[in-house]
Amino acid sequence: MQRPRASRVGELEFCGIPVWAGWMGMGRRDAPFGYRLLGLLSLALWLPAVSCQCRILKCNSEYLSATSGLHVGTEESAEFCIALRAYSQCTRKTARACRGDLAYHSAVHGIEDLMNQHNCSKVGPTQTPARAQPTSLDCMVHSDAPELCNYEKSLQRHAPHPNYTHCGLFGDPHLRTFTDDFQTCKVRGAWPLIDNNYLFVQVTNVAVVPGSSATATSKLTVIFKNFQECVDQKVYQAETDDLPAAFVDGSRNGGEKHGANSLRVLERVAGQHIEIHAKYIGTTIVVRQLGRYLTFAVRLPEEVANSFEDNQGLQLCLKGCPTNERMDWRLPQPRKGGSAAPHSAFTREAATAKCRERLPVDDLYFRSCVFDLLTTGDVNFTLAAYYAFEDVKNLHSNKDKLHIYQRTADHSEGNSAPGRPSLQTLPISHFLLICSLWCCLAHL
């Protein structure tokens, strides 16, 4: 079995997919048959999957769904045995891929104990009511996600206008956080953007040019965690020159559950632009490839963004980049010959003119464009800044906050407060007037 390898920020990676310690699926946690079963399934749901094909979390979720509301010792015990046999059959189908998975072995031993405890025969029907094939009428009524799997519809009675937030990463990379803080970061290697109870997003950044601290995103991994009756666990992964229109298992929706269409991958421009719509959590993700690098943008409810444990770890979209990874990204001073860097083909005037073609407003998107051209000389970063702003226009809920402007303090010199002139900047007439007033006051 392939051993997981540790990456830079404390997560494990297996088959190229990150696995975080303490990461928990979003399945139903209240098992109906006593503390023994509750403990078993809680353990199984808490343990991370360590195989690319192991589907034990899917088996756990199906079993919990099938036994919801049943009670031991009643006429429903037969349905309980049917669910256990189906659970056992599901684990056998995934046995080869789950060798060495502790969650899998815990489930197998737990099933055997429960079947013996409740006198269930190992031979018999395995079709549970929850897995019955839908009728044609059901398909018509539920062609779209049910209310449970549509975040906005499920909130209409209580919060008709949920609050949404936005995060974006593009270019060198430049980060816009959930709180509209704008930063430029080095963050080379693998870093988590989002890590909450429903969603995990990680980017991998690589050096753009030798001898420079500039980095850009070459790989993106998105994990939608298993959620009740709506979706199975799904993983989307994109890399340079590989922007697929499907999840890693080849599917384009949330799996085999009733609300599977509440999670969909849509291809807007082949190899350049995909969108992932997760209606069950009210979330939209936009991924683009521009030149050799990827951009990321997301819109999600604040309730979803804030659904995480206190010790869940670093999230760049929530907390920004660590202080030691941030760059002073004010426009670099040009070197001799007019170019900002040896590898840049742009002078500041040329970079400004090029960025002005697509970004007429002098905001931080425009300045990030100029910065990237001076730092890397790659004209594709102009498109990265342009489309990052286009995504903000489509995804940000507050149209008054689309543009972010550089603070006055960034332009000031020394320790002078913004807008307050120093003595060196005062006209000579004002300076003489102040001296005269001071002399008069001294003789009073």
Side-chain angles (χ1 to χ4, degrees), residues 149-151 164 196 198-199 224 227 262 278-283 299-301 304:
C149 301
N150 190 312
Y151 180 82
Y164 288 90
N196 58 49
Y198 305 89
L199 181 66
F224 295 91
F227 181 68
S262 64
K279 288 185 178 180
Y280 69 101
I281 52 174
T283 297
R299 177 182 187 264
L300 72 169
V304 174

Side-chain angles (χ1 to χ4, degrees), residues 29-336:
R29 298 185 181 86
D30 52 329
F33 289 102
Y35 293 106
R36 181 188 182 96
L37 180 58
L38 176 63
L40 166 67
L41 293 176
S42 297
L43 174 64
L45 288 173
W46 269 92
L47 289 170
V50 295
S51 171
C52 299
Q53 293 84 26
C54 184
R55 305 297 298 277
I56 189 61
L57 292 180
K58 177 177 180 292
C59 297
N60 295 340
S61 177
E62 290 179 352
Y63 172 73
L64 288 173
S65 177
T67 56
S68 175
L70 300 182
H71 301 281
V72 177
T74 69
E75 64 276 3
E76 295 174 329
S77 293
E79 296 182 17
F80 176 53
C81 290
I82 291 174
L84 276 174
R85 284 192 291 268
Y87 194 7
S88 179
Q89 184 182 68
C90 184
T91 59
R92 287 196 299 272
K93 290 180 179 179
T94 193
R96 181 185 295 270
C98 292
R99 288 180 299 177
D101 189 316
L102 183 56
Y104 165 78
H105 291 290
S106 298
V108 170
H109 291 303
I111 292 169
E112 184 176 352
D113 290 344
L114 288 170
M115 292 187 74
N116 292 334
Q117 180 181 348
H118 299 290
N119 298 318
C120 295
S121 171
K122 294 184 179 180
V123 179
T126 59
Q127 184 66 47
T128 63
R131 300 300 295 167
Q133 294 298 318
T135 65
S136 57
L137 179 61
D138 289 333
C139 292
M140 292 175 61
V141 173
H142 298 289
S143 58
D144 197 2
E147 184 173 304
L148 174 65
C149 301
N150 190 312
Y151 180 82
E152 292 185 354
K153 287 185 178 180
S154 65
L155 286 184
Q156 281 180 352
R157 296 180 181 178
H158 307 288
H161 302 291
N163 294 322
Y164 288 90
T165 187
H166 162 77
C167 176
L169 186 78
F170 68 97
D172 200 354
H174 307 286
L175 172 71
R176 181 169 181 162
T177 69
F178 288 144
T179 55
D180 295 315
D181 189 17
F182 199 97
Q183 303 171 1
T184 294
C185 312
K186 293 178 286 187
V187 289
R188 186 172 181 175
W191 291 81
L193 292 180
I194 300 172
D195 184 13
N196 58 49
N197 293 341
Y198 305 89
L199 181 66
F200 172 82
V201 180
Q202 176 180 276
V203 292
T204 300
N205 300 320
V206 296
V208 177
V209 289
S212 171
S213 59
T215 62
T217 301
S218 64
K219 182 178 179 180
L220 172 76
T221 300
V222 183
I223 299 178
F224 295 91
K225 302 178 183 181
N226 180 58
F227 181 68
Q228 298 181 11
E229 293 87 354
C230 299
V231 299
D232 296 321
Q233 172 190 319
K234 289 291 177 178
V235 179
Y236 179 84
Q237 194 166 75
E239 296 186 66
T240 297
D241 297 330
D242 183 14
L243 193 65
F247 296 107
V248 294
D249 62 2
S251 65
R252 289 195 171 196
N253 63 13
E256 301 177 358
K257 293 187 176 180
H258 196 59
N261 284 332
S262 64
L263 175 62
R264 300 178 63 195
V265 180
L266 302 176
E267 186 176 56
R268 299 304 188 189
V269 180
Q272 298 180 29
H273 178 193
I274 70 99
E275 294 181 5
I276 306 176
H277 295 268
K279 288 185 178 180
Y280 69 101
I281 52 174
T283 297
T284 300
I285 291 176
V286 178
V287 184
R288 301 177 187 268
Q289 177 171 334
L290 300 165
R292 298 286 300 163
Y293 305 106
L294 306 176
T295 69
F296 168 83
V298 63
R299 177 182 187 264
L300 72 169
E302 290 182 354
E303 178 186 14
V304 174
N306 295 323
S307 63
F308 58 90
E309 305 297 330
D310 292 338
N311 60 348
Q312 196 115 350
L314 179 66
Q315 301 184 59
L316 299 191
C317 280
L318 184 72
K319 304 175 183 178
C321 301
T323 303
N324 62 343
E325 294 288 340
R326 298 181 189 180
M327 298 174 61
D328 182 3
W329 73 281
R330 286 172 291 183
L331 299 181
Q333 296 299 318
R335 300 171 182 265
K336 292 181 180 180

